[in-house]
Amino acid sequence: MDFEFVEEERVLCYHQTLLYEAKVLKTEVREMQGILQPAYFVHYNGWNKKWDEWVLASRMKKYNDVNVQHMQQMQQQAALEAAEKARIERERKEKAKLPGTPQSSSQQQQQQKKPSNAGSTSTTASASGSKAGGSGGGSGGGGGAGSKGDGSSKGDASGKSDAKRPRTGAFQFVKVPIPQELKDQLANDWNFVVNEKMLVPLPRTPSLRCVLEEFRATSTRPKADVNSVVDGLRTLFCTAVGQALLYSFERVQYMEILEGLSEESPADSLADVYGAEHLLRLLVKLPDFLKNVENADPSMPAFMTVLTALVEFLRTEKDRFFVVNYDNATHHYIRQTAH
């Protein structure tokens, strides 16, 4: 029988629905699917050896530029679909709480229809009017977000003072450029945790704090800008990790980490536990966090320049910062996630 692949050959191999880089460790004729045929014992690059397995040639592809590009496209699409599902679910749960949503605007309008203390009937403000301080101004009409609630408005009737107010969603078009190598990292990260039920080993070395501090020390960007981004990202991460940066399979691990922290632990202790994997997730979700920021920072170009430099820093140091072997979850852990 002829073998299409040889031992030590670098190949691409399907695991479930996605392709991954692998290496052929052994070849032999084995009984597979009820018949004797050429089989290949493969190791998936970066995976624990427990996933090594015998496969048929039908699950394998030659390692070449065309097939590698196909693999990357499949993994990227899978990661995007997972991120979109997570975004939709998150928005569904949080929609009522977010300022400026149709529901909250409707509630504001209902309140605006009530008579003011002055005895006049308030008008229903438009969404833009409520943000700008409400229609009616100083004439006794009900104000919007800028109203005191007693029928008077903080702005004058012309609305000139209100025009200087920051507008909600000033950062809504921020996009953090993610190079293909880091998109592949995100896709692999998603597959390990969501499909394979594996975990990022914690605490990570280097930690998220160490990664950011090394970037701070080596960056050639203006120090004030770098300090602002580094400190802001670390604070945002520690606030957001439990709410928006974990896959559901990681929540038990997160709760175990919280239980291990004492009351004296610093507020940003989680920056010493997690690493580059979760920092990258934060950078991808950053536009979602910033789109509701109400203050348009005049230093936005500098902010984006430093962010872009940080992403490039992660790309160039990828082999040093990102974990290769994820941990297998114990049976006890898996049972806990089912509750």
Side-chain angles (χ1 to χ4, degrees):
M1 295 185 180
D2 294 331
F3 288 89
E4 297 181 37
F5 304 91
V6 299
E7 293 181 3
E8 301 298 316
E9 183 175 353
R10 188 181 187 184
V11 298
L12 303 180
C13 188
Y14 277 99
H15 186 85
Q16 295 185 357
T17 59
L18 296 177
L19 275 172
Y20 300 95
E21 289 188 31
K23 181 180 180 181
V24 179
L25 301 181
K26 292 187 289 186
T27 64
E28 64 179 60
V29 176
R30 293 173 62 89
E31 184 175 339
M32 302 281 287
Q33 300 178 350
I35 61 174
L36 290 173
Q37 53 186 316
Y40 308 86
F41 192 66
V42 299
H43 169 74
Y44 298 96
N45 293 354
W47 294 35
N48 190 292
K49 64 180 181 180
K50 75 180 280 292
W51 297 103
D52 294 358
E53 60 178 338
W54 287 99
V55 300
L56 297 176
S58 58
R59 280 180 52 186
M60 302 167 66
K61 288 181 176 293
K62 290 290 185 180
Y63 190 97
N64 56 45
D65 291 342
V66 174
N67 289 336
V68 168
Q69 183 177 9
H70 179 58
M71 174 191 68
Q72 293 172 344
Q73 290 172 344
M74 291 175 65
Q75 293 180 348
Q76 181 180 353
Q77 183 62 32
L80 291 174
E81 290 175 358
E84 179 65 11
K85 289 180 181 178
R87 182 189 65 79
I88 293 173
E89 179 64 15
R90 185 174 67 253
E91 289 184 353
R92 183 186 69 79
K93 292 180 179 179
E94 299 180 357
K95 188 175 182 181
K97 302 178 183 178
L98 294 176
T101 61
Q103 181 175 351
S104 59
S105 296
S106 175
Q107 291 172 345
Q108 291 176 2
Q109 292 171 1
Q110 290 296 327
Q111 294 173 353
Q112 291 163 354
K113 291 179 181 178
K114 296 179 181 179
S116 67
N117 292 340
S120 60
T121 302
S122 62
T123 59
T124 302
S126 66
S128 59
S130 64
K131 290 178 183 177
S135 59
S139 63
S147 305
K148 297 178 181 178
D150 59 359
S152 62
S153 172
K154 294 180 181 178
D156 61 23
S158 66
K160 291 181 180 179
S161 61
D162 290 336
K164 297 179 181 180
R165 293 184 183 179
R167 297 180 180 178
T168 299
F171 293 142
Q172 62 181 317
F173 298 114
V174 168
K175 290 186 181 297
V176 181
I178 305 295
Q180 186 61 48
E181 290 173 77
L182 295 185
K183 290 180 180 178
D184 294 343
Q185 164 63 35
L186 285 165
N188 289 332
D189 178 49
W190 170 82
N191 181 69
F192 283 136
V193 178
V194 176
N195 279 347
E196 308 299 338
K197 303 303 181 186
M198 303 177 78
L199 295 166
V200 175
L202 300 178
R204 284 287 294 114
T205 302
S207 66
L208 180 144
R209 186 193 303 275
C210 290
V211 170
L212 289 176
E213 289 303 320
E214 183 174 334
F215 172 73
R216 190 204 302 266
T218 59
S219 177
T220 58
R221 305 298 174 185
K223 282 300 179 185
D225 297 335
V226 173
N227 291 341
S228 177
V229 169
V230 166
D231 295 338
L233 285 177
R234 188 183 64 252
T235 300
L236 176 59
F237 175 83
C238 293
T239 302
V241 59
Q243 299 295 323
L245 302 179
L246 301 177
Y247 297 115
S248 59
F249 190 68
E250 297 174 303
R251 295 211 60 79
V252 171
Q253 184 187 45
Y254 172 71
M255 297 307 297
E256 291 174 347
I257 291 169
L258 293 185
E259 291 174 2
L261 298 178
S262 66
E263 294 181 358
E264 292 75 31
S265 298
D268 62 352
S269 294
L270 292 176
D272 297 314
V273 177
Y274 291 91
E277 297 78 15
H278 291 79
L279 173 60
L280 182 56
R281 295 185 199 176
L282 173 65
L283 294 175
V284 171
K285 288 180 175 286
L286 201 56
D288 289 337
F289 291 118
L290 295 180
K291 68 182 179 183
N292 291 317
V293 174
E294 297 184 359
N295 188 15
D297 191 338
S299 63
M300 173 59 77
F303 172 79
M304 288 304 302
T305 298
V306 174
L307 271 185
T308 302
L310 174 58
V311 171
E312 178 60 18
F313 176 68
L314 291 178
R315 187 193 68 79
T316 57
E317 301 295 335
K318 179 173 67 72
D319 293 340
R320 194 159 58 89
F321 287 160
F322 292 97
V323 67
V324 174
N325 295 317
Y326 282 54
D327 283 347
N328 296 314
T330 64
H331 293 300
H332 175 67
Y333 182 97
I334 294 174
R335 284 196 299 270
Q336 286 181 293
T337 62
H339 297 324

